Amino acid sequence: MDVLAEANRLKAAGNNVLSLAVGQPGSPAPQGVRDAAAQAALHAPIGYTDALGRADTREAIAQHYADHYGVSVSPDRIAITTGSSAGFMLAFLAITEPGGRIAIAAPGYPAYRNIIKSLSLEAVEIPSGDASSSVFDLDALLAAHRTKKIDALMIASPANPTGATVSKAELTQIIEVCDREGISFISDEIYHRLNYVADDLTALSVSDDAIVINSFSKYYCMTGWRIGWMVLPQNMVRTVERLAQSLYICAPEISQIAAPKAFEATTSLELIKDGYRANRALLMEELPKMGITFAAPPDGAFYAWCDVSKHTNDSMVFAKTMLREIFVAAAPGVDFDPINGNRFMRFSYAGNHDAIAESIERMKNWVSV
C-alpha cells in the first residue's frame, strides 16, 4: 500500500509512472455487462435481494459450472457475495470459533492474513512450492495441525502472488488429507480461466464438501463491481445465509443483474487473456536477463513471483527505489511473506502491453547501472 500510495502521488505530480504492481485488469467489464447495468439503473427497481442473492444469478453460476467444468451444482448451494473478500470472511466465520486456526500458503495474498486476524483467528502460514514444483507442503500442514488443531486450509490455484497452480493429483491428495484430519478445505478460484498451461480444475470436481470462492473481478474484468460467489456444502448454506444477512444484507443488485452477461462474453475476454499471455511471455524472456529469476512457475493469474536477491536483500527498499528513480511500481515480497519475502518481488502483467514493455526497458537500464 505504501508503494501504491507513493506511485499515485508521483503520478499526480505529473510523472510518467508505469505499474507492474496492481492485480487489476486494464480492460473494462464486457460490453454486455455494462449494457445490462445501464438498463437496470434506468428501469429496474434496484434494492435489497435475498441474502444469498438473486435466483437468476445463482442459476447462471450453476450453469457455468456445468458448461465450463462439467460439474453439477445446485443453485441452492450458491451464495452471491460482496466480492470474494466477503466470501473469505463468511467462510472463516461459518467454520470456526474465536481463536480458531486457518492455514494458508506462504507466500500468499496479504488480505487473507489480515481478514483472519481481524476475526480473532490465527493465520498459520504453510510453505508452498518453488520454481520446480507447485506442491503444497502437506507435512508442514500436518505438523502444525498436530501441534494445535487447524480448522481449515485455504489454497488458491492459480495463486497470488506466485501464479502457481495445483494439479488434480495434488489437489486430490490435499483434500483427502483434510478429510481424514477433520480440516475444512476452502478453494480460492478467483483466477480461474487465467491458466496458461492447463485446463481449469475446480475443487468441486474432487469433493462436494469443498468450499469454493470465486469472483467476477479478474477474468471477467469486473473489479470494483463487488460481486463474487461461494459454492457451499449443503449443510453450510443456512449458516452463511444468516451471517451474510447480518453483515452485508446482500451483494449490490445492479451487479447481480449484470454479472451473468459476463458468461456470454468469452470471445472478447479470451482476447484480453491473449494480451496477458503476451505480457507473460515478455516477462519470462526479459526478467532472467536482468538476473531476476522466477521463484515459482507462473502458470496462471497475471503475476510473476521473482527472486531479486542478486540485486537486493530488502524488497521494500528495492520497490521504493525503483519507483523513485525510474517511476516503475511493483509489489515488494514482504507484503506476501513477512518472514522470507525480503528477497522477492511480485510483478503484475495485467496491464497494457506497451506500458509493460516500457517498464521492462526502464528496469534493464536501471539494474545495469
Side-chain angles (χ1 to χ4, degrees):
M1 296 302 296
D2 290 346
V3 172
L4 291 175
E6 180 63 11
N8 290 334
R9 188 192 67 80
L10 289 169
K11 185 178 290 186
N15 297 289
N16 181 18
V17 176
L18 302 174
S19 181
L20 300 174
V22 181
Q24 175 174 314
S27 301
Q31 188 64 51
V33 170
R34 287 178 281 152
D35 289 345
Q39 288 301 307
L42 289 171
H43 304 295
I46 302 299
Y48 296 139
T49 72
D50 291 342
L52 292 175
R54 288 171 58 102
D56 55 345
T57 308
R58 297 165 73 194
E59 289 164 2
I61 291 170
Q63 186 62 49
H64 166 67
Y65 278 90
D67 294 342
H68 186 63
Y69 300 101
V71 172
S72 177
V73 174
S74 169
D76 292 341
R77 293 173 53 200
I78 294 170
I80 310 300
T81 60
T82 310
S84 61
S85 297
F88 302 141
M89 183 175 290
L90 291 166
F92 299 154
L93 288 170
I95 59 182
T96 62
E97 297 293 336
R101 307 176 83 212
I102 308 289
I104 55 176
Y109 178 46
Y112 294 159
R113 188 186 319 118
N114 297 333
I115 292 171
I116 290 167
K117 290 181 179 179
S118 75
L119 298 175
S120 298
L121 304 171
E122 179 185 353
V124 181
E125 301 196 51
I126 307 295
S128 55
D130 57 24
S132 62
S133 171
S134 62
V135 177
F136 183 79
D137 192 339
L138 273 173
D139 289 338
L141 172 70
L142 289 171
H145 179 59
R146 286 163 186 164
T147 299
K148 183 181 178 184
K149 175 178 169 50
I150 286 175
D151 296 286
L153 166 66
M154 182 162 68
I155 290 179
S157 177
N160 176 11
T162 63
T165 58
V166 177
S167 70
K168 186 166 187 177
E170 293 163 359
L171 182 62
T172 301
Q173 184 183 23
I174 290 167
I175 291 176
E176 286 175 349
V177 168
C178 286
D179 287 346
R180 186 185 74 219
E181 299 292 329
I183 300 170
S184 297
F185 182 75
I186 306 170
S187 182
D188 177 354
E189 300 181 0
I190 69 170
Y191 290 101
H192 271 211
R193 305 194 74 168
L194 293 174
N195 192 330
Y196 308 100
V197 299
D199 293 334
D200 286 332
L201 172 68
T202 177
L204 298 170
S205 67
V206 176
S207 173
D208 266 349
D209 292 328
I211 301 163
V212 168
I213 296 173
N214 208 325
S215 168
F216 287 94
S217 291
K218 304 301 181 179
Y219 175 79
Y220 299 102
C221 299
M222 292 181 66
T223 307
W225 291 69
R226 307 315 300 140
I227 181 165
W229 72 85
M230 307 172 74
V231 183
L232 299 160
Q234 193 66 55
N235 63 3
M236 279 184 62
V237 172
R238 180 60 176 159
T239 300
V240 167
E241 180 181 26
R242 293 164 70 184
L243 286 166
Q245 175 69 51
S246 299
L247 293 171
Y248 310 106
I249 302 179
C250 64
E253 185 173 25
I254 195 166
S255 297
Q256 293 191 52
I257 292 169
K261 292 295 183 180
F263 294 134
E264 302 172 13
T266 299
T267 299
S268 61
L269 291 169
E270 285 296 305
L271 290 175
I272 294 169
K273 181 180 175 180
D274 286 343
Y276 303 150
R277 186 179 283 109
N279 294 345
R280 172 180 178 268
L282 179 64
L283 264 62
M284 292 183 72
E285 179 180 357
E286 297 297 336
L287 289 178
K289 295 177 184 177
M290 304 179 215
I292 298 173
T293 57
F294 289 83
D299 296 337
F302 29 58
Y303 305 118
W305 180 245
C306 294
D307 187 334
V308 292
S309 57
K310 181 176 179 180
H311 303 288
T312 185
N313 197 39
D314 190 329
S315 59
M316 181 63 77
V317 169
F318 185 86
K320 289 183 175 180
T321 304
M322 184 168 69
L323 178 59
R324 183 178 66 250
E325 294 185 356
I326 61 171
F327 303 120
V328 173
V334 289
D335 282 355
F336 306 93
D337 186 346
I339 305 301
N340 300 306
N342 57 299
R343 63 188 181 93
F344 298 100
M345 294 286 293
R346 188 197 76 175
F347 299 102
S348 170
Y349 51 88
N352 174 272
H353 184 77
D354 290 342
I356 290 174
E358 173 60 24
S359 298
I360 293 296
E361 287 304 311
R362 291 186 193 182
M363 288 176 63
K364 279 184 188 177
N365 295 328
W366 182 63
V367 298
S368 66
V369 173

